[in-house]
């Protein structure tokens, strides 16, 4: 009996979450659930936090550099940007955080190094 009640409640919960809500969702005072592919289980104030991972669309699987200090790791379901936060490996080089910068990201040479 308990299992039938549990299955019924799970079915009702699944059906209720599958139905689109007019006005943006369950929190209309907070601006709704967001737009597009936003996860309805994550409140917008959490999803927009700087520490929350931001997913992006990818065309290929693997890791690439976005800029000198950020890498983009792409999987089958999407990509996530990660900063190279390790102080011993601050540069993104060939899709990995590295201590060796690329030519574009190398710090400028000191004037005494150029003269030598």
């Amino acid at each position: 009996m308990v299992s039938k009640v549990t299955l019924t409640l799970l079915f009702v919960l699944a059906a209720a979450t599958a139905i689109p809500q007019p006005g943006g969702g369950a929190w209309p005072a907070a601006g709704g659930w967001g737009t597009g592919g936003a996860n309805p289980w994550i409140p917008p104030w959490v999803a927009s936090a700087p520490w929350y991972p931001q997913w992006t669309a990818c065309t290929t699987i693997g890791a690439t550099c976005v800029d000198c200090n950020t890498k983009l790791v792409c999987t089958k379901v999407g990509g996530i940007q990660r900063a190279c936060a390790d102080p011993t490996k601050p540069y993104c080089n060939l899709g990995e955080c590295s201590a060796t910068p690329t030519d574009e990201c190398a710090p400028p040479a000191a004037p005494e190094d150029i003269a030598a």
Side-chain angles (χ1 to χ4, degrees), residues 2-113:
V2 173
S3 62
K4 290 180 182 179
V5 171
T6 304
L7 285 174
T8 303
L9 288 175
L10 288 175
F11 177 75
V12 169
L13 178 65
T17 57
I19 300 170
Q21 300 293 319
W27 295 351
W33 288 106
T35 60
N39 188 335
W41 299 105
I42 301 172
W45 57 272
V46 171
S48 63
W51 49 263
Y52 193 78
Q54 300 298 319
W55 288 90
T56 59
C58 289
T59 56
T60 60
I61 295 175
T64 57
C65 293
V66 176
D67 58 20
C68 293
N69 305 99
T70 308
K71 66 179 182 176
L72 175 66
V73 180
C74 293
T75 63
K76 293 181 196 178
V77 295
I80 189 166
Q81 290 186 8
R82 292 284 183 189
C84 294
D86 185 0
T88 61
K89 298 179 180 181
Y91 303 106
C92 184
N93 192 350
L94 299 173
E96 296 294 328
C97 292
S98 172
T100 307
T102 59
D103 292 338
E104 301 87 33
C105 298
E112 59 271 1
D113 292 341

